Amino acid sequence: MNADARRLHLWSGLVVLGVFLAGAMAGAGVMKLVAPPVAAIADGQQARGPMVILRQLDLSPDQRAAAMRIMAENRATVEAAVRETSPVIRAAREKTLSELRAILTPEQAARFDALRAEQLRRLP
């Protein structure tokens, strides 16, 4: 593969990675904007999603206790799913970056590393 083809391959990969990262950041921003409002519940905790709706239904104490139990049970399931998928997503991203770096010259790899470090510093 000649130098121009490698450069094109690198830029194509970086564009794809940039689009992916921009989409992820935009998605996170949209989710923050459209997330249901936070409502305080009786025991001082914060509620999101279904609990915000349930607060508007004048639940009985028994219903409120059942709702809290259901939310707690499902929260554990969601947290487990996040713990399972986060490493897979992280590994896929690292594999992509590693494969991109492997096609670079030593000078390009050094610049790639510097740009990546700068990018990571900018993340919240």
Side-chain angles (χ1 to χ4, degrees):
M1 185 183 293
N2 67 29
D4 288 336
R6 278 196 312 254
R7 188 173 303 123
L8 178 60
H9 193 93
L10 169 67
W11 281 109
S12 298
L14 290 175
V15 166
V16 169
L17 180 62
V19 168
F20 173 78
L21 292 174
M25 290 174 60
V30 167
M31 289 303 295
K32 187 157 181 90
L33 288 174
V34 300
V38 175
I41 56 178
D43 60 0
Q45 296 176 351
Q46 297 293 312
R48 285 193 174 267
M51 285 306 294
V52 172
I53 295 169
L54 292 175
R55 271 194 49 81
Q56 299 174 31
L57 299 178
D58 298 320
L59 299 177
S60 71
D62 288 343
Q63 288 173 314
R64 183 176 306 229
M68 294 301 290
R69 180 184 47 76
I70 291 167
M71 294 295 292
E73 289 171 2
N74 287 308
R75 184 179 310 119
T77 303
V78 170
E79 288 173 358
V82 169
R83 280 192 305 273
E84 288 178 22
T85 58
S86 291
V88 173
I89 293 168
R90 187 176 303 114
R93 182 178 57 236
E94 292 304 319
K95 180 179 183 288
T96 300
L97 292 171
S98 177
E99 289 177 4
L100 288 171
R101 193 176 187 285
I103 66 169
L104 304 177
T105 66
E107 295 81 17
Q108 291 170 326
R111 180 74 177 136
F112 180 87
D113 293 342
L115 291 170
R116 179 75 176 130
E118 181 180 327
Q119 183 182 50
L120 291 174
R121 278 193 303 274
R122 291 183 186 173
L123 293 176

